[in-house]
Amino acid sequence: MADNSKAEDTASDSVEAAKNASDKKEKLADQVMQNPQVLAALQERLDNTALTPSSYIETLPKAVKRRIDALKQLQVKCAHIEAKFYEEVHDLERKYAALYQPLFDKRREFINGEAEPTDAESEWHSENEEEEKLAGDLKNVVVIEEKAEAEETNLKGIPDFWFTIFRNVDMLSELVQEYDEPILKHLQDIKVKFSEPGQPMSFSLEFHFGPNDYFSNSVLTKTYKMKSEPDKTDPFSFEGPEIVDCEGCTIDWKKGKNVTVKTIKKKQKHKGRGTVRTITKQVPNDSFFNFFNPIKVSGDGESLDEDSEFTLAADFEIGHFFRERIVPRAVLYFTGEAIEDDDNFISILS
């Protein structure tokens, strides 16, 4: 009986202690809630929560949420239709590329001096025609001298056409090193080729070079692989085809002419004998021609480091710019007119 009495006293003490602790918590909570700063912070948090779309959705009845889920299903189906639309756009691009090509071939002939434009083909009325006409008389002597000089040097085509575009476009000039310039002066044409029907979506850039002292390739290629389908894990992020990978080509450099590597000398001390020897090794070198040796996207799902992701994203942007802007409008990037248009467009947006 004594033991039972002790147990009852212990239980009673525990209940009493728990009650006291609860009372203290309630008093502390009351004191906190009476603090104006705490109340203001809580109210601000509630207000912010009320303005969040997701929090609003959470307040809706279950039947309404069910209908919203149905709308999302429809949205996914829309994304798949949009993907199909872009696939057909790619087919149209291929079709019209064939129509553009004869014009681009003639452009290549004029640039490289393979053909001379007729008077009708070279007739062009510029916006500043009046000013040019007034200044024409003053330039006659200079023109005559230039013609004589051209005849003496047998000047053909438009010298340094593509190289000038590289210099004019910031995105490209940033990639070009001084030792790249003599090589780029041999660049004769850039072409865009689209993947054939039934093949995975892609496009290739072909850089055609004349004979030179640097490499034996006549054509350097870069292929960009594309995907036009919503991501299974995030279908709402789909905004059209995206470049997912790219492949370059092997440049057959002539001996001692590879500008993508440089040779460095390093002194090495032997641990045992203490003798010092000089060793040479090749290390990567900044060059535009690294463009043809891109970073490979890992196929095993491993993520790239931040620098590699940035480099790859810049590569994709450059490839897209060649395809969409440089190749179709080359003469306007040569004269700088397209660059002014781009700058004006950017300034309007900003």
Side-chain angles (χ1 to χ4, degrees):
M1 292 293 293
D3 291 340
N4 289 341
S5 177
K6 288 181 180 180
E8 289 175 359
D9 291 342
T10 302
S12 177
D13 291 342
S14 299
V15 170
E16 186 66 25
K19 184 178 179 182
N20 291 336
S22 177
D23 290 342
K24 288 180 180 179
K25 287 182 180 179
E26 288 180 5
K27 289 179 180 179
L28 182 60
D30 289 339
Q31 291 174 0
V32 169
M33 293 305 295
Q34 289 173 9
N35 187 323
Q37 292 179 335
V38 172
L39 288 173
L42 286 172
Q43 186 61 48
E44 182 180 0
R45 186 171 180 180
L46 287 171
D47 291 342
N48 290 337
T49 301
L51 294 174
T52 304
S54 58
S55 63
Y56 166 69
I57 299 300
E58 290 301 318
T59 65
L60 296 175
K62 189 174 181 180
V64 176
K65 291 181 182 178
R66 182 172 175 273
R67 293 167 197 142
I68 293 172
D69 290 340
L71 294 185
K72 289 183 177 180
Q73 287 277 11
L74 295 176
Q75 190 63 44
V76 171
K77 291 179 180 179
C78 287
H80 283 281
I81 292 174
E82 186 180 3
K84 185 66 177 175
F85 163 78
Y86 283 114
E87 288 177 5
E88 295 191 15
V89 168
H90 189 74
D91 292 338
L92 277 176
E93 286 181 310
R94 184 191 307 109
K95 174 185 175 180
Y96 279 87
L99 300 178
Y100 288 130
Q101 196 54 52
L103 302 178
F104 292 159
D105 289 341
K106 188 172 282 288
R107 178 178 72 183
R108 184 199 69 241
E109 292 173 355
F110 292 161
I111 290 170
N112 297 313
E114 300 168 8
E116 196 66 28
T118 64
D119 290 342
E121 288 173 327
S122 58
E123 184 178 352
W124 183 259
H125 301 287
S126 68
E127 295 178 358
N128 301 321
E129 189 172 3
E130 292 293 329
E131 295 177 11
E132 291 174 359
K133 189 174 181 180
L134 291 172
D137 292 338
L138 299 174
K139 294 181 179 178
N140 278 343
V141 176
V142 177
V143 170
I144 292 171
E145 291 178 354
E146 287 178 348
K147 284 184 177 179
E149 184 181 348
E151 290 174 0
E152 289 176 3
T153 58
N154 195 27
L155 188 65
K156 292 183 178 180
I158 305 176
D160 301 338
F161 179 84
W162 292 101
F163 171 61
T164 301
I165 292 174
F166 271 73
R167 287 191 308 184
N168 288 347
V169 178
D170 290 342
M171 185 186 297
L172 302 181
S173 64
E174 291 172 356
L175 302 176
V176 177
Q177 308 300 319
E178 186 176 350
Y179 38 82
D180 292 327
E181 294 181 2
I183 312 176
L184 289 172
K185 290 185 177 184
H186 292 280
L187 182 57
Q188 297 180 334
D189 197 15
I190 304 176
K191 295 181 179 180
V192 179
K193 294 291 183 69
F194 293 91
S195 54
E196 294 298 323
Q199 293 183 344
M201 186 184 292
S202 68
F203 70 92
S204 297
L205 300 174
E206 294 183 355
F207 294 75
H208 292 251
F209 285 85
N212 60 80
D213 297 330
Y214 298 90
F215 47 74
S216 58
N217 312 64
S218 59
V219 182
L220 301 181
T221 60
K222 182 77 169 282
T223 299
Y224 289 88
K225 300 177 181 180
M226 305 174 70
K227 183 182 76 170
S228 181
E229 60 180 280
D231 190 297
K232 292 180 180 179
T233 59
D234 186 17
F236 303 134
S237 65
F238 181 74
E239 294 182 347
E242 60 177 333
I243 298 173
V244 294
D245 199 3
C246 56
E247 289 182 0
C249 67
T250 300
I251 301 178
D252 299 321
W253 294 100
K254 295 180 180 180
K255 187 175 180 181
K257 298 293 186 177
N258 188 349
V259 295
T260 64
V261 296
K262 60 183 177 181
T263 302
I264 61 171
K265 293 183 178 181
K266 187 177 181 181
K267 290 185 177 181
Q268 191 177 66
K269 186 175 182 180
H270 192 279
K271 291 183 179 179
R273 295 191 295 270
T275 55
V276 178
R277 64 172 182 171
T278 301
I279 61 171
T280 60
K281 67 175 184 176
Q282 288 189 330
V283 296
N285 196 28
D286 290 338
S287 168
F288 164 73
F289 291 91
N290 290 320
F291 179 72
F292 299 98
N293 184 28
I295 296 172
K296 288 295 295 178
V297 176
S298 176
D300 54 11
E302 291 185 11
S303 58
L304 299 171
D305 60 57
E306 188 174 342
D307 288 343
S308 296
E309 285 187 354
F310 178 81
T311 301
L312 201 59
D315 189 311
F316 292 173
E317 184 179 0
I318 292 167
H320 186 75
F321 196 76
F322 269 116
R323 167 190 162 176
E324 296 291 331
R325 307 290 288 176
I326 298 293
V327 173
R329 310 178 72 204
V331 65
L332 301 181
Y333 282 97
F334 175 79
T335 62
E337 294 166 82
I339 298 168
E340 293 173 6
D341 289 345
D342 289 346
D343 290 343
N344 291 337
F345 181 69
I346 291 171
S347 64
I348 290 172
L349 289 179
S350 58

